[in-house]
Amino acid sequence: MATAVLLASPALALAGVARKMQLVTSHLPSLVHESGDPGGLQEVVAELCRRAGLKPATQFVPWRRAQFLATTMPATAIYPLTRLPEREAQYRWLVPLYDENYVLLAVRSKLLPLEQMKDKRIALLRGAAQAAILKEQGFTRLVEASSIDEVHRFLLGGMADAAFGERRIIAASLKGHGSGEGDFETSAPVRTTTAWLAGSLDFDEADIALFQRALDSMRADGTLRRILARHKLT
C-alpha cells in the first residue's frame, strides 16, 4: 500500500519531463487499438501512467511518423518499440512491456524453410524493426506497408508472398480481414525481442525511475500478469 501512495505522490508526478509527456503509437491490434476496447499494451501503459500520477494524451499515427515524433519532439514517449542496437542512443528506454515473437506468415503450403523464403517478397510495416531483422537474415525483397492492415492487403492481394511481423499482431490482423487462421501458417520465431515504452532524449533518470517504480508495483500486486493474461499475451 505504501508503494502505491509513493507512486501517486504529486511531487513525483511533477518531477522531470514525464509531467508534460505525450504518447505516440499506431493501431497494432491486438496490442494497441485506435478505437473500441483498448489493446493489452494500451492497458499496461495506461496503468503505468496512472500509478505514476500522469495523464498523457495519446496520438495515433503511422508507425514511421510515431518514431519521428519521439526522436524530434520533446517529452514524447512511444510504444511498443523494439529495442535494437541501432536504436539504443535514439531514445530513453523507460520500461520493458512485452516479449515479442517475430514470425513469417504465408498461405498454407506456401511457407517454406527459412532459407528458401529469402528470395520471396515479404510484406512488413514501414519503419518497424522487422526490416533490420530480415536484412540481418539475408532477406532483400521487402515490401513496406504504411499500416498492419496494408501488410495483409499486400499478402491477400498477391503483392507479397509472405508477411513478417509480431505473432499476435499478425493473428489479429488475419481475423480483422475475415481470413481463417487455418488457411495460413506461421514460421517458428525468427527473432524474439522485447517491446518497450521509450521516450525522447529529454527524459532523465528520475523519469525512468518513476516508470520503473510503477512497473515494479504492477508486478508485485499481480496487475501486470492479470492484464497480459486477460489479453492472452502470456
Side-chain angles (χ1 to χ4, degrees), residues 7 94-95 204-216:
L7 289 169
L94 303 176
V95 280
D204 62 17
E205 293 303 318
D207 298 313
I208 294 172
L210 180 66
F211 282 104
Q212 187 60 59
R213 284 192 292 270
L215 182 62
D216 290 345

Side-chain angles (χ1 to χ4, degrees), residues 104-157:
L104 288 163
L105 169 80
V107 173
R108 188 166 294 280
S109 82
K110 292 191 176 182
L111 184 65
L112 306 174
L114 190 64
E115 285 297 318
Q116 296 178 44
M117 293 297 295
K118 290 182 179 180
D119 63 347
K120 304 297 183 183
R121 298 165 300 164
I122 311 296
L124 70 167
L125 186 63
R126 183 178 297 119
Q130 291 98 303
I133 292 170
L134 286 181
K135 287 175 182 177
E136 217 176 74
Q137 296 285 333
F139 287 78
T140 58
R141 301 180 67 189
L142 307 185
V143 183
E144 294 190 314
S146 61
S147 68
I148 190 66
D149 285 342
E150 191 171 65
V151 167
H152 278 88
R153 284 200 297 272
F154 287 169
L155 176 61
L156 299 174

Side-chain angles (χ1 to χ4, degrees), residues 155-213:
L155 176 61
L156 299 174
M159 289 172 280
D161 302 302
F164 184 67
E166 206 285 320
R167 181 173 58 196
R168 288 176 177 84
I169 295 176
I170 280 180
S173 184
L174 277 178
K175 291 178 182 177
H177 282 86
S179 302
E181 289 186 68
D183 298 330
F184 295 84
E185 57 184 328
T186 58
S187 69
V190 175
R191 177 74 64 82
T192 297
T193 61
T194 301
W196 284 67
L197 173 65
S200 49
L201 291 177
D202 50 346
F203 284 82
D204 62 17
E205 293 303 318
D207 298 313
I208 294 172
L210 180 66
F211 282 104
Q212 187 60 59
R213 284 192 292 270

Side-chain angles (χ1 to χ4, degrees), residues 20 37 62 70 84 131 138 143 152 191 231:
K20 303 177 293 185
D37 294 335
L84 298 172
V143 183
H152 278 88
R191 177 74 64 82
H231 290 271

Side-chain angles (χ1 to χ4, degrees), residues 40-55:
L41 294 191
Q42 267 172 291
E43 284 201 34
V44 171
V45 170
E47 182 63 14
L48 282 169
C49 291
R50 188 190 71 79
R51 294 187 185 213
L54 306 170
K55 295 182 179 179

